[in-house]
Amino acid sequence: MNLHRIGYLIVTKSALLTLPEYLEVLDKELAHIQITVTCLDNERTAQYEKASPPSQRIHAIQTLQSRGFDVAIRLSPLIEEYMDFDALNSLGIERCVIEFLRVNSWIKQWFQGVDFSRYLVRQSGYWHLPLEEKQRIVEKIHIPQKTICEDVTEHYQFWRDFVNPNKEDCCNLQKINP
């Protein structure tokens, strides 16, 4: 893709992108990188993810950001009960993509300590938080540039019209190819 000058999006839960062999391959003009973090607590995250610890992912985001890459933390899914918003806001991360938890019976098995009774909106086989709850949670995030990826039609329209910097792309990719 670098050879043909085609932009690409990498979405990962890995911190490997900052290894020299990956940095050599990534083209700053073409690579769009989103590193997913659901919780900042390494021990808690290890209970439900088999991926690089969040501390390593955060370091990777900060490293890529300092080197001028189009990188964002992807809070996916964002679960209020799992996120330390003060710690998140102190990381110096410039961009984030937010995607809220969609709940079904399978999901309920994986995430302990979540108040699933708040998920009142039904669409596409999942239960979602009401828009007002999502807005309240997003207000806790003080990362300068936020974009919200959304499944609920009415909620998508709200985020697109009033929050997302790039109205045509909820991933808010920078340096889009012409």
Side-chain angles (χ1 to χ4, degrees):
M1 295 202 300
N2 287 344
L3 179 65
H4 294 286
R5 308 305 300 158
I6 298 170
Y8 46 95
L9 172 62
I10 299 170
V11 179
T12 184
K13 289 184 179 182
S14 173
L16 292 175
L17 291 176
T18 57
L19 294 176
E21 57 266 33
Y22 288 99
L23 289 172
E24 285 178 29
V25 174
L26 295 174
D27 185 315
K28 287 181 190 178
E29 297 302 315
L30 301 173
H32 307 282
I33 304 161
Q34 296 175 3
I35 300 178
T36 302
V37 175
T38 57
C39 176
L40 300 177
D41 184 312
N42 288 345
E43 290 180 27
R44 185 173 199 178
T45 304
Q47 295 172 13
Y48 62 89
E49 287 184 346
K50 294 190 182 346
S52 299
S55 59
Q56 290 178 11
R57 289 183 251 169
I58 295 299
H59 179 72
I61 293 165
Q62 293 167 328
T63 299
L64 292 165
Q65 183 176 283
S66 72
R67 291 178 178 227
F69 282 93
D70 176 26
V71 62
I73 186 170
R74 186 173 185 98
L75 303 171
S76 178
L78 177 57
I79 304 169
E80 183 178 25
E81 293 90 343
Y82 281 35
M83 185 52 64
D84 179 340
F85 292 97
D86 290 333
L88 174 68
N89 293 329
S90 72
L91 296 172
I93 294 173
E94 297 171 4
R95 297 180 56 237
C96 71
V97 177
I98 300 165
E99 187 171 8
F100 286 94
L101 182 66
R102 300 173 302 210
V103 176
N104 62 18
S105 59
W106 186 81
I107 293 294
K108 286 181 179 181
Q109 299 174 57
W110 286 97
F111 296 105
Q112 305 302 315
V114 175
D115 181 4
F116 293 113
S117 69
R118 297 183 313 151
Y119 290 76
L120 303 171
V121 177
R122 182 89 170 149
Q123 183 168 324
S124 303
Y126 292 95
W127 290 97
H128 304 265
L129 288 170
L131 179 59
E132 299 76 25
E133 276 290 292
K134 292 176 181 177
Q135 290 172 306
R136 182 185 61 74
I137 295 167
V138 167
E139 287 178 13
K140 294 181 174 189
I141 301 169
H142 301 155
I143 293 173
Q145 194 172 102
K146 296 182 273 256
T147 185
I148 291 81
C149 207
E150 180 65 70
D151 287 345
V152 178
T153 305
E154 296 79 21
H155 300 185
Y156 169 79
Q157 292 167 346
F158 172 82
W159 300 121
R160 181 197 62 209
D161 294 344
F162 299 107
V163 177
N164 292 357
N166 185 340
K167 310 264 182 256
E168 303 303 318
D169 177 15
C170 69
C171 281
N172 192 30
L173 306 179
Q174 303 296 303
K175 305 175 198 158
I176 307 271
N177 294 340

